[in-house]
Amino acid sequence: MVRNEDNGLDGRGRCDMDLLGLQRRKWLKKGKDEPWVVEIKSFEGDELKVSDILARIDTVELYTDGKAMASIGDLCFLDSMVYILDASKAVSAFNLRTGRLCKQIRTVGRGHNEYIMPNTIASGGGRVHLMDFSGRCILSYDADLNLLHRTPVDFMMHDIIPVDDGFLLSNSSPGDREELIVHTDTSGKVLGKFLSADLSQAIWPVGKPFICNPKGDVFLKAPFSNGIYVWRDTVPVLAYRADYGSLTPEQGREAEDFLSAGKVGTFHDFLTSDRWLGIFEYADEVYCHMENLSDGQSHLQGKLVRDVPGFYPQWQYGEALVGAVYGDDYGSEAKLQETRLGAVLFFYYLK
């Protein structure tokens, strides 16, 4: 990785619990098996700069060596590699240390070793897993993108995350009697179904429902829900919840109802070893809150002011949140090299 030392981040904005913070919100630390609830009393009057929550930014430039790469649909990491699924249905493997393209595949078709419409890519257990939405299967590859296994699935999937005994899958269009989260083994056999659709919206919004922290803990989140579940002993258990008071969305309402009712809609949550960063939308503005999970003694919240380059994180790599900027949007020098500079990854580290 290349570290950008001169990024304007000087440690300002670290917010300890003070009298104002006590008036504005309170922590409710419950028993061992109870969720940790943070009450956010007011956030509309606050403003939060991205530089207030970041310690540093690293960048990695990805060079395609003249091969085409369309807009990024999804990506995942495995050791020192990043695997990018783009809009052309190609999967490209890049070395994070050098930024160089190692391999690219595009096996579109209806054969056993092919995919029709891949929409998500994930890693786990030393493998890279590609979810084929239309083909209703999971294709598992080794680190060199050699196909190892094909797992059939009998429903359309929105997202995937590997767990110890198989996969957690999100049902992209559950019916009234279906479930949002499905647990399968590596052969596709269903082991359990969770989070009934009548508890939340029936169609997944933008955003990934699965979260994995650097310790390898797996978390999941229902759409338009402020609760985060931890995957524990083959069942999801509510671990964290953000309470926005009267702006908290009611269960069972559709997405358009949330917007018309002026409720908070969350679309990205990230968990590091000791931080919880939640990004949400209210009244056509983007807000965020950051909690200290180790001691609960710091809290930041407010309307998000993007005062650092390209802060639109969608993924996570260890402790870092990750966003992508395309080569032709990276600067005049990059535009001259756009045939070989495909994208730039930004790694954002929280304070």
Side-chain angles (χ1 to χ4, degrees):
M1 290 185 184
V2 179
R3 180 176 298 178
N4 290 347
E5 299 291 351
D6 186 16
N7 53 34
L9 304 182
D10 59 2
R12 293 175 298 173
R14 186 181 300 274
C15 179
D16 294 329
M17 183 181 291
D18 52 16
L19 291 178
L20 177 61
L22 285 171
Q23 294 171 353
R24 189 168 56 187
R25 61 100 179 104
K26 64 180 179 179
W27 287 93
L28 298 178
K29 198 68 177 289
K30 303 242 179 143
K32 179 180 179 181
D33 296 323
E34 294 295 318
W36 189 2
V37 180
V38 56
E39 293 184 357
I40 301 179
K41 293 292 188 180
S42 173
F43 54 82
E44 297 174 76
D46 299 330
E47 188 175 87
L48 183 61
K49 295 181 179 180
V50 173
S51 55
D52 291 339
I53 65 176
L54 295 185
R56 78 172 197 264
I57 304 172
D58 294 348
T59 59
V60 175
E61 298 178 355
L62 304 179
Y63 293 92
T64 61
D65 295 328
K67 291 190 177 181
M69 190 175 80
S71 60
I72 297 173
D74 197 11
L75 61 79
C76 70
F77 300 91
L78 181 61
D79 298 328
S80 62
M81 302 289 292
V82 59
Y83 300 84
I84 292 180
L85 170 64
D86 69 34
S88 75
K89 305 178 184 179
V91 179
S92 302
F94 293 88
N95 186 302
L96 281 174
R97 296 190 182 95
T98 64
R100 295 296 177 181
L101 178 69
C102 297
K103 188 174 182 179
Q104 185 180 85
I105 61 172
R106 190 177 183 277
T107 56
V108 179
R110 297 182 178 273
H112 179 78
N113 299 334
E114 298 174 325
Y115 49 75
I116 302 173
M117 186 184 294
N119 62 333
T120 299
I121 192 168
S123 62
R127 297 185 177 187
V128 176
H129 306 282
L130 185 67
M131 175 188 295
D132 186 1
F133 177 83
S134 297
R136 299 193 181 189
C137 69
I138 302 165
L139 299 175
S140 299
Y141 302 85
D142 65 15
D144 296 321
L145 292 181
N146 299 306
L147 184 65
L148 300 174
H149 185 68
R150 181 182 187 274
T151 304
V153 179
D154 62 359
F155 59 92
M156 293 183 176
M157 302 159 286
H158 169 72
D159 199 15
I160 178 178
I161 191 166
V163 290
D164 289 341
D165 56 352
F167 304 101
L168 291 182
L169 310 170
S170 62
N171 195 343
S172 63
S173 56
D176 293 339
R177 299 180 181 179
E178 296 296 329
E179 306 292 334
L180 288 171
I181 303 296
V182 180
H183 177 207
T184 74
D185 63 13
T186 55
S187 69
K189 178 183 177 182
V190 174
L191 302 177
K193 299 181 180 181
F194 309 96
L195 299 182
S196 176
D198 62 4
L199 295 179
S200 191
Q201 174 193 334
I203 299 177
W204 287 97
V206 175
K208 297 176 75 65
F210 300 124
I211 311 163
C212 186
N213 69 7
K215 300 176 184 177
D217 301 318
V218 172
F219 299 85
L220 52 145
K221 182 174 182 177
F224 283 91
S225 165
N226 295 321
I228 297 177
Y229 294 77
V230 61
W231 184 250
R232 183 184 298 159
D233 298 328
T234 70
V235 294
V237 178
L238 185 61
Y240 307 111
R241 183 169 65 84
D243 184 356
Y244 299 95
S246 62
L247 298 178
T248 297
E250 297 90 346
Q251 294 178 339
R253 298 190 65 167
E254 298 294 332
E256 56 269 22
D257 293 334
F258 289 124
L259 300 178
S260 62
K263 302 296 182 179
V264 167
T266 59
F267 53 89
H268 277 305
D269 283 277
F270 300 98
L271 292 165
T272 67
S273 294
D274 60 355
R275 293 292 186 273
W276 168 20
L277 180 70
I279 301 177
F280 59 96
E281 184 175 355
Y282 171 69
D284 296 325
E285 298 283 356
V286 176
Y287 295 81
C288 81
H289 67 93
M290 186 170 75
E291 321 300 338
N292 187 324
L293 299 177
S294 59
D295 56 24
Q297 295 302 303
S298 64
H299 172 87
L300 292 169
Q301 67 178 29
K303 183 164 63 175
L304 196 60
V305 178
R306 293 185 172 98
D307 59 334
V308 300
F311 185 77
Y312 293 91
Q314 293 179 269
W315 305 278
Q316 190 163 339
Y317 179 62
E319 297 284 354
L321 314 184
V322 181
V325 174
Y326 299 107
D328 53 1
D329 295 328
Y330 190 56
S332 57
E333 181 180 352
K335 289 181 179 180
L336 298 176
Q337 304 172 353
E338 60 183 354
T339 56
R340 62 188 188 93
L341 178 59
V344 181
L345 298 184
F346 282 74
F347 294 76
Y348 304 99
Y349 290 86
L350 299 178
K351 290 180 179 177

